[in-house]
Amino acid sequence: MTKSETALRLNLDNEPDKQQLAALQTLAEKVLQPIRDHFARGVKVNSALRTLPVNRAIGSGDSSHHVRGMAADIEIPGVPNAELAQWIANNLDFTQVILEFYTVGIPDSGWVHVSYVPEDLKNQILTATKQNGKTVYLPGLVA
């Protein structure tokens, strides 16, 4: 949940503080473990905690839930990302679930971003796509 190729390459600290560690634990308990239990497979975490320097290094905004340890970009090998996002949307409480850069007909394309901010469980569902070279967020799951 803390490994970062960017942090390693740029020699940046990506170790969690106590608040980030507690947030990562909550994310695991409330979101990742229920996903693992349902699909009976390991959840591949592509990115979870990104300390502010790491987050800035990849060009993400300072308000990202990743900075607080409250978000993960995930996949499950063998499970289409659209199916994973739909299951989360239908079965869990969350702040955001975003089906990111999914291509219809290519089940393992893109990834699923899911965040869990205990005081803001708004169950927002989005799809991220590129339009004219810019990331656009569409409401709902577009797959």
Side-chain angles (χ1 to χ4, degrees), residues 38-94:
H38 173 75
F39 288 99
R41 297 176 185 219
V43 176
K44 179 183 174 195
V45 178
N46 298 325
S47 178
L49 176 70
R50 296 193 302 244
T51 58
L52 197 54
V54 174
N55 206 55
R56 287 177 176 166
I58 67 163
S60 189
D62 288 1
S63 64
S64 168
H65 291 142
H66 287 278
V67 173
R68 296 168 56 198
M70 296 180 171
D73 296 336
I74 62 172
E75 300 176 75
I76 299 177
V79 175
N81 285 321
E83 179 182 336
L84 173 58
Q86 189 67 65
W87 187 86
I88 295 168
N90 291 344
N91 294 283
L92 299 178
D93 287 323
F94 53 89

